[in-house]
Amino acid sequence: MAKSRIAIIVGSNRRDSINRKLARALAKLGADKFDASFVRIDDLPMFNQDLEGNLPEEAVRFKSEIANADGVLIVTPEHDRSIPALLKNAVDWGARPYGKNSWAGKPGFITGTSPGAIGSALAQQHLRSVMVGLGMILLGGEAYVTFKPNLVDEDGNIADESTRKFLQGFLDRFISLIVRLSQPEPH
Ligand SMILES: Cc1cc2nc3c(=O)[nH]c(=O)nc-3n(C[C@H](O)[C@H](O)[C@H](O)COP(=O)(O)O)c2cc1C
């Protein structure tokens, strides 16, 4: 069976983003099960409904990359106990124009990391409620990761064994969810 195509969105535009580091490590960890492609969001203009009639080319590209993916992995930081503005902007472009919601029916897995003890939990919870409202089919469970300097090693692997196993479990369940959802419904 062909490998699943996973679009990865990182909710940070920071050069040394710890969430990008985690996202790359997840892409590596799951490389035998899925093909990952990183979807750019930092070039999307600030959402404005006036632009919906003639979508900016960056928004067209973004929406087609989501459409072509079997599932979407979102790895996000927490900003002020919520979703970073950069990511929310991308969510809005995905949701619009009315009737062209890129998220509806799309399998999704949300995770993220923060140096704080609760590892981006509140941002993830806010994002879950937004994405469920938009019709995304989210993987259950809570994948909050506290970032420590040695979490990802120099080769881009998740160094801590228990964290690696924890996240591997999520990736495995995410791929199972995608495969199950792609099967025709019994009559
Ligand atoms: C505007 C702003 C708000 C932040 N708010 C939170 C927060 O609510 N909770 C938290 O754990 N960390 C917070 N942080 C710290 C981030 O977790 C930290 O900057 C982290 O490196 C961001 O992820 P990134 O490196 O992938 O961009 C905040 C950082 C910024 C810049």
Side-chain angles (χ1 to χ4, degrees):
M1 199 172 66
K3 278 192 198 175
S4 298
R5 292 160 300 171
I6 304 296
I8 303 184
I9 298 175
V10 178
S12 172
N13 51 4
R14 197 166 82 84
R15 199 182 321 113
D16 296 323
S17 164
I18 57 177
N19 282 278
R20 185 164 296 276
K21 219 172 260 183
L22 176 62
R24 288 202 182 112
L26 289 172
K28 199 170 176 195
L29 189 60
D32 58 332
K33 297 234 170 77
F34 60 84
D35 288 324
S37 58
F38 281 76
V39 179
R40 202 172 164 191
I41 59 170
D42 65 342
D43 61 341
L44 292 169
M46 178 61 74
F47 181 82
N48 181 336
Q49 211 177 344
D50 292 339
L51 303 175
E52 281 186 342
N54 185 12
L55 283 187
E57 62 183 68
E58 296 85 355
V60 172
R61 188 221 71 231
F62 173 72
K63 290 176 77 69
S64 77
E65 287 180 1
I66 301 301
N68 290 333
D70 299 314
V72 180
L73 164 60
I74 306 178
V75 186
T76 187
E78 178 171 287
H79 277 185
D80 304 323
R81 297 285 180 237
S82 190
I83 307 162
L86 177 86
L87 178 58
K88 184 56 167 57
N89 188 49
V91 169
D92 290 346
W93 278 117
R96 299 292 300 185
Y98 183 75
K100 304 258 190 237
N101 175 3
S102 311
W103 310 113
K106 191 67 71 179
F109 166 32
I110 293 172
T111 185
T113 188
S114 150
I118 56 173
S120 77
L122 282 141
Q124 290 190 45
Q125 280 306 317
H126 282 179
L127 185 60
R128 291 187 82 81
S129 116
V130 170
M131 300 320 280
V132 166
L134 289 170
M136 206 174 204
I137 302 170
L138 289 178
L139 183 69
E142 298 177 293
Y144 312 141
V145 181
T146 300
F147 192 86
K148 301 265 166 52
N150 57 353
L151 180 76
V152 178
D153 68 21
E154 284 175 5
D155 298 322
N157 298 309
I158 296 165
D160 177 64
E161 195 187 348
S162 69
T163 307
R164 191 170 62 246
K165 282 190 177 153
F166 173 74
L167 290 169
Q168 180 78 66
F170 276 94
L171 292 178
D172 291 348
R173 290 192 294 281
F174 186 39
I175 299 305
S176 302
L177 175 71
I178 290 170
V179 170
R180 267 186 285 143
L181 288 172
S182 69
Q183 278 158 9
E185 287 182 26
H187 293 288

